[in-house]
Amino acid sequence: QVHLEESGGGLVQAGGSLRLSCAASGQTFSNYAVAWFRQAPGEERESVAAINKRGGSTYYIRSVKGRFTISRDDAKNTVYLQMNSLKPEDTAIYYCAADPRIDTLLTEVRRVKSWGHGTQVTVSS
């Protein structure tokens, strides 16, 4: 199990940008796929983006494609989520999660054991 800590959230106007970071410790980070999830008040958690172990494959939900970019720097044990052209509907708490298998992150999220505590993103209109 890897320890995760998010940072980079904040308040931004619509159309602005933020970069979230997910810093890992405790295990060999390169052995883990990583995903970003978000949860808005009163709504279910949803996956936003994911990246596989080597960073060669990325996945995005339709609503953020072309605006968000997930990337990883294994030398720094960090995964990033660059968020551009932010919209008020992007407002949520953003969490990162890690698992040795990206399939688990994408389809069996209840089995994921490594989660960060979240970082708030608020987009004003």
Side-chain angles (χ1 to χ4, degrees), residues 77-89:
N77 288 344
T78 302
V79 166
Y80 304 98
L81 185 67
Q82 178 66 45
M83 305 186 296
N84 299 328
S85 302
L86 283 161
K87 304 176 181 179
E89 51 263 43

Side-chain angles (χ1 to χ4, degrees), residues 30-87:
S30 59
N31 290 337
Y32 287 80
V34 178
W36 285 95
F37 294 79
R38 66 186 180 187
Q39 186 167 21
E43 298 190 12
E44 293 187 357
R45 179 180 57 196
E46 65 174 351
S47 63
V48 175
I51 188 166
N52 69 350
K53 293 178 187 181
R54 295 176 180 81
S57 295
T58 56
Y59 303 86
Y60 300 93
I61 57 172
R62 183 175 298 181
S63 61
V64 307
K65 275 186 177 180
R67 300 189 298 122
F68 290 11
T69 303
I70 188 171
S71 62
R72 66 187 298 157
D73 184 344
D74 287 343
K76 296 183 178 180
N77 288 344
T78 302
V79 166
Y80 304 98
L81 185 67
Q82 178 66 45
M83 305 186 296
N84 299 328
S85 302
L86 283 161
K87 304 176 181 179

Side-chain angles (χ1 to χ4, degrees), residues 67-115:
R67 300 189 298 122
F68 290 11
T69 303
I70 188 171
S71 62
R72 66 187 298 157
D73 184 344
D74 287 343
K76 296 183 178 180
N77 288 344
T78 302
V79 166
Y80 304 98
L81 185 67
Q82 178 66 45
M83 305 186 296
N84 299 328
S85 302
L86 283 161
K87 304 176 181 179
E89 51 263 43
D90 294 319
T91 295
I93 299 175
Y94 284 70
Y95 301 89
C96 63
D99 193 273
R101 298 180 65 246
I102 194 167
D103 286 349
T104 303
L105 290 169
L106 295 175
T107 63
E108 300 177 277
V109 66
R110 291 184 179 182
R111 298 179 61 181
V112 176
K113 297 181 180 179
S114 296
W115 290 88

